[in-house]
Amino acid sequence: MKKRIFTILLALTLLLTFVVTGCGDKDKTNDTEKPDEQGEVEGTDDSDDDDEGEEASEVTDDPDVKVINLWSFTDEVPNMLEKYKELNPDFPYEIESTIIATTEGAYQPALDEALASGGDDAPDIYCAEAAFVLKYTQGDAHQFAAPYKDLGIDLNLVDEAEIAPYTVDIGTNPDGDLVGLGYQATGGAFIYRRSIAKDVWGTDDPDVIKEKIGPGWDQFFEAAEELKAKGYAIVSGDGDIWHAVENSSDQGWIVDGKLNIDPKREEFLDLSKKLKDNDYHNDTQDWDDAWFADMKDAGPKKVFGYFGPAWLINYTIAPNCGGEAAGEGTYGDWAVCEPNVGFFWGGTWILGNKDTKAKATVGDIIKWITLDSSEEGLQHFWANGTLEGPGGTKDTVASNKVMAASDGTLDFLGGQDMFDVFVPANEFAKGTNLTQYDETINTYWRDQVREYTAGKKSREQAIEDFKQQVADNLDIIVD
Amino acid sequence: MKYNDDVGVRYGNNISRGSYVAKTLKYIVCILLAIISILPFWIMFMNATRGTYEIQQNAISLLPSTHLLSNMKVLHGKSFNPVRGFINSLIVSTGVTACTVYFSLLTAYALVVYDWRMRQPFFTFIMAVMLIPAQVSGIGFYQFMYKLNWTNSFLPLILPAIAAPAAVFFMRQYLLGALPLDIVDSARIDGAGEFHIFNRIVLPIAKPAMATQAIFSFVGSWNNLFTPLILLTKQDKYTMPIMVSLLRGDIYKTEYGSVYLGLSLTVLPLFIIYFVLSKYIIQGVALGSVKG
Amino acid sequence: MKRRKKSVSYAKYGYIFSIPFVVVFLIFSLYPTIYTAVIGFTDLKGLGRTDINFLEDPFLNFKAIFKNPSFIKSLSNTAIIWLMNFIPQIVIALLLTAWFTNRRNKLKGQGAFKFLFYMPNIMTAATIAILFNSLFAYPKGPVNDLLMMLGISEKPIEFLREGWTARNIVSFIQFWMWYGHTMIILMAGVAGIDPTIFESAEIDGASGAQTFFHITLPNLRTIMLYVLVTSMLGGLQMFDIPKLFLNGGPDNATLTTSVFIYNQAFSGSYMYNRAAAASMIMFIIAVVLSGLLFYFMRDEDEVKLKKEKKRARKEQARRAKEGGSVV
């Protein structure tokens, strides 16, 4: 008996010591962290006072710093910096790249820890993907991002380079300062099959086709009916219309801290159901095998088109079309036209750490990637596919000025210049209906929509269950 | 061992007819299980030779294709450095395995052989530790490691393996059944020190248990992705699974062929280690042979 | 006097040999764990928070978790999926152990079989999840193709949208990954049994089944307890496959408690406090369940242990006496 009491006592003291020391440690670190933070805040405030308005402040690098830390989730940006070093032969810094994939969900926790811990290993430049960029520009982690103007970037460049407005909206923090921009613009188009268009409407002219499939969803379903009559599916699955629906809504999932189902997003239930009940699609899900198979006519019905930005063409449809030159597979049989609703999908934003010691250089690099519209700027190489020598993959970029000066013709699109469609598409995309929880909420919503369209539950029940899932898993008020 | 085999052979001659049926049945079950064990590996190795396009059209194929070299090239271009990853993984996994096996046995030995006052409470304590769900104590662990500035070091991956409660539990259960206390006593009478007894006498007896735990901890550590992913951020410290996850990471243009090739390369060393260690398990080093 | 000194000096080694475990555990496990436990009573949520306060109602998070329908569902899912994989797993593993350790009726190629059965465990969960996802793909996938080719189904079936099918597949994957593992443990246990027991049984003419039920199984008791406890704990903490295979879906059908906790902490809202409270609840469930297991498996084992101990002590005393007399 004595033994047992002794053990319990020992365990309790152990526990207490740890709780106490644990909390003590926390307080200590808080104390040491705070002065630092305040110092930084004061520093930035000073520079604000000196240069009112949009003009860039004079910034310099701390001469003791030798390394610039870059955090990214793919090797895309690290490779760009190789090019930057090539263009600036006397670049004095070593670039330490940290690449953590988003697939296992580890990029954000690691980045958050690194940002919060600070110190020499803290990221100077970091990247965020569309699915979670809001967290770093406006949400829980926005306090780490430096306003571009504090990095010595002249904000007049935004207008000069004609940057897609939605990317600016997304990259602006709650104080109204611009903290992040992309190099890519991901405004979406409708990507369709020329041969099917000719078979159904007698022409493959993008200006005609855009009148057939839009504007709006009623027009879209009329086209679906016409396509069905000839044995075609208008899209591959319900996921294809989701990105268009999501981004064309007026409000995001959260309004004033409460869950909000925008009528246009709620309509996705009915649109999906209509697609499924009328057999307008092959009932695939995006990124599944069957979805890829539809790109080369390997599904049960031939599929007319996909909703997507330029990267979907270059990185997804082209490698899966079943050929590498015109005439092979569906290669060359594609075209892009204005979609029935404006939207964007994906993209990468570049942010600078407000605590970076190399403000001038970080600013220079970010400017070169996001705002430099000259022929030496990153976006020029990116749009023309010349970053790693000629003949690379062309992509749409954030700067309309660069796209106007670049050649977007693709053999894959039968010689069409994709920039003709994607430049206006960037104007229609909205950046104001995003929230930092989109990735999670979208998953719940699409799961419930699929339950409804599969006939497993009623429309009301699906909405009810969706609300319950959000309430169960997120810190959002649900009525 | 020899004697045992002889016994098997002697009785093997007397198998009756009915047991042939039973034997056939056993073979059928075993072969079926073997097939479903091999199949995914087969598919993985086949996919390593197929192109991304082929895989996206149909992820499962039993026949190889011709893209092995081009997958190799993609891997090479993607900052995938198998040699570096292999060495890093080997350091971490070997460290983890050595720590787990040696210290777990040591702790278990302390629990089984010595009659100390805190023995029972300590054992209960280890059991309680085992019951703590792993998912969330992770939060505290990562923050602690970042505070200590132990990122980009292998130590936070290796050292915690010294305290592996499940392994201690296993070793204890094993020693309870397999270690006769009189061996220890007689060694003491011969004048052997306690550490000497442990290293020279107990270790060999516990070989099957050690091999078993060694395989488990080596495989577990080799495949461990999440912890290294958060703690190792410098490229020259990446382990194999981190490199593979990076290959999968590019959501816009995943190169599936090279992902499977990377996965295959990751599994190969495991095969070898498993093959070497499984000798002990398959032969079943029995207590008697040590005695004899 | 001498005698006492001796036994005390041995007990000392019990402490010495446990030091590495204890030290490492305190630093790397206990501190983070208690940190987590404490969080369960605070308002810690969101990123980079430094001002953590204890809640006025200390059990607020716990109450919220108990009222959470997804959590309740995740508990029943975890139990269902674990039972559906553990029962076949232990049966097959025991069967294989019996076959492979049957000393008269030896199967040929045993080594190869044993080697192969553990192999699924070598593969990372991510790969397995991808492969099974492709196998059951809809509307076009190997299983669907096969069923339609054989005329069993007319239209492709969306397997992974059916809750029970999805649960069954997760259970099957768990079974398939772990039966070899369980078998190896059981066989290591058999290897630890004194072979003279088997030899004498053989000489007495016991049949294979008799030997297994009357000698092997009772002697495996301690190892069986290990298998049961670790498998149950593993089952409670089942995470990789449910997370990577269907991310808890469809419609929460494969949402396990660990996935639920992970989602609370990392998928969006960073509700560390609620995640910590849920972890503590899981911890209590684990304690109760393993307590029950220990209770049911205990009696004989413990009695035997005590007997052994007594015998050992007597022997020691006897020896010490003898030694003393010699000196």
Side-chain angles (χ1 to χ4, degrees), chain C residues 26-262:
Chain C
L26 290 180
I27 299 172
F28 292 103
S29 267
L30 192 67
Y31 169 67
T33 305
I34 290 177
Y35 178 84
T36 308
V38 172
I39 287 173
F41 299 97
T42 66
D43 62 350
L44 177 69
K45 56 185 175 186
L47 269 179
R49 282 275 306 275
T50 43
D51 51 328
I52 303 164
N53 301 308
F54 282 95
L55 294 166
E56 267 177 42
D57 173 2
F59 292 100
L60 193 69
N61 294 318
F62 291 85
K63 285 177 193 159
I65 287 294
F66 273 119
K67 270 191 246 153
N68 193 319
S70 292
F71 179 71
I72 307 296
K73 178 113 194 242
S74 78
L75 283 180
S76 72
N77 283 339
T78 309
I80 292 168
I81 294 173
W82 180 68
L83 280 175
M84 287 198 309
N85 102 72
F86 183 70
I87 293 168
Q89 179 186 323
I90 192 82
V91 168
I92 295 273
L94 272 174
L95 202 64
L96 291 172
T97 308
W99 290 353
F100 288 154
T101 54
N102 188 334
R103 294 153 62 94
R104 304 182 187 184
N105 201 345
K106 277 207 167 156
L107 290 176
K108 282 206 183 99
Q110 277 199 29
F113 284 134
K114 288 181 202 166
F115 182 76
L116 289 175
F117 293 164
Y118 175 67
M119 269 193 359
N121 206 280
I122 287 184
M123 213 182 241
T124 54
T127 318
I128 291 170
I130 298 172
L131 285 179
F132 274 84
N133 229 318
S134 313
L135 267 175
F136 291 94
Y138 167 85
K140 217 177 68 80
V143 175
N144 261 318
D145 289 352
L146 191 73
L147 289 182
M148 281 161 69
M149 210 171 70
L150 297 175
I152 296 173
S153 63
E154 281 176 16
K155 272 170 80 179
I157 302 163
E158 203 173 353
F159 292 105
L160 303 180
R161 175 97 353 243
E162 309 284 339
W164 276 103
T165 315
R167 264 185 222 127
N168 275 321
I169 295 172
V170 171
S171 302
F172 175 77
I173 297 176
Q174 292 286 346
F175 157 77
W176 171 78
M177 278 181 79
W178 293 100
Y179 77 93
H181 180 271
T182 307
M183 180 195 76
I184 285 183
I185 294 174
L186 291 177
M187 288 199 313
V190 173
I193 300 172
D194 191 338
T196 51
I197 306 178
F198 289 113
E199 278 154 26
S200 58
E202 265 161 21
I203 291 161
D204 293 347
S207 75
Q210 277 172 333
T211 316
F212 181 75
F213 282 107
H214 292 109
I215 296 174
T216 316
L217 216 47
N219 277 299
L220 275 181
R221 200 182 192 89
T222 52
I223 294 293
M224 283 285 279
L225 179 65
Y226 168 80
V227 170
L228 267 171
V229 171
T230 50
S231 169
M232 193 194 66
L233 295 176
L236 265 180
Q237 298 179 27
M238 196 186 321
F239 178 73
D240 291 6
I241 293 293
K243 173 80 187 163
L244 296 168
F245 180 46
L246 293 168
N247 197 11
D251 202 17
N252 281 352
T254 61
L255 182 81
T256 60
T257 316
S258 287
V259 177
F260 172 83
I261 290 173
Y262 181 88

Side-chain angles (χ1 to χ4, degrees), chain B residues 101 105 170-171 174-175 205-215, chain C residues 188:
Chain B
V101 169
L105 189 64
F170 178 82
M171 298 286 194
Y174 183 85
L175 286 183
I205 291 177
K207 255 187 194 165
M210 286 169 72
T212 309
Q213 286 302 321
I215 288 175

Side-chain angles (χ1 to χ4, degrees), chain A residues 249-307:
Chain A
S249 73
D250 301 307
Q251 287 181 311
W253 284 123
I254 304 164
V255 175
D256 301 328
K258 279 187 190 168
L259 179 69
N260 167 60
I261 305 180
D262 188 278
K264 286 186 181 159
R265 289 187 182 179
E266 189 176 332
E267 197 194 0
F268 179 57
L269 277 166
D270 310 310
L271 298 176
S272 280
K273 185 84 175 158
K274 212 165 163 182
L275 279 174
K276 169 128 184 164
D277 289 353
N278 291 305
D279 240 0
Y280 288 146
H281 64 17
N282 279 340
D283 204 14
T284 65
Q285 274 189 288
D286 31 348
W287 309 108
D288 274 0
D289 297 348
W291 186 69
F292 289 114
D294 279 342
M295 293 169 188
K296 60 150 193 183
D297 290 344
K301 292 191 289 272
K302 285 190 179 185
V303 168
F304 179 54
Y306 290 83
F307 284 95

Side-chain angles (χ1 to χ4, degrees), chain A residues 14-15 18-19 22-23 25-26 30 33-34 104-105 108-109 112 116 135 140-141 143-144 276 282-285 288-290 293 298 437 440 443-444 447-448 450-451 454 456-457 465 468-469 471-476, chain C residues 26-27 30-31 34-35 38 45-52 54 67-71 126 133-134 137-140 142 158 161-163 244 247 249-252 255 260 262-264 266-272 274:
Chain A
L14 250 175
L15 209 113
F18 268 88
V19 173
C23 291
D25 278 355
K26 267 213 96 53
N30 289 351
E33 264 167 25
K34 263 174 196 158
E104 332 290 339
Q108 294 183 61
D112 297 343
K135 175 168 134 195
D140 293 341
Q143 68 272 23
F144 302 116
K276 169 128 184 164
N282 279 340
D283 204 14
T284 65
Q285 274 189 288
D288 274 0
D289 297 348
Y437 302 134
T440 309
T443 314
Y444 295 142
D447 188 34
Q448 290 305 326
R450 240 61 205 149
E451 288 284 307
K456 296 215 168 298
K457 52 176 76 155
D465 289 353
Q468 191 60 55
Q469 279 189 327
D472 286 355
N473 290 298
L474 294 168
D475 195 17
I476 298 170
Chain C
L26 290 180
I27 299 172
L30 192 67
Y31 169 67
I34 290 177
Y35 178 84
V38 172
K45 56 185 175 186
L47 269 179
R49 282 275 306 275
T50 43
D51 51 328
I52 303 164
F54 282 95
K67 270 191 246 153
N68 193 319
S70 292
F71 179 71
N133 229 318
S134 313
Y138 167 85
K140 217 177 68 80
E158 203 173 353
R161 175 97 353 243
E162 309 284 339
L244 296 168
N247 197 11
D251 202 17
N252 281 352
L255 182 81
F260 172 83
Y262 181 88
N263 286 346
Q264 294 284 312
F266 295 113
S267 85
S269 287
Y270 290 86
M271 289 185 287
Y272 295 132
R274 261 157 67 168

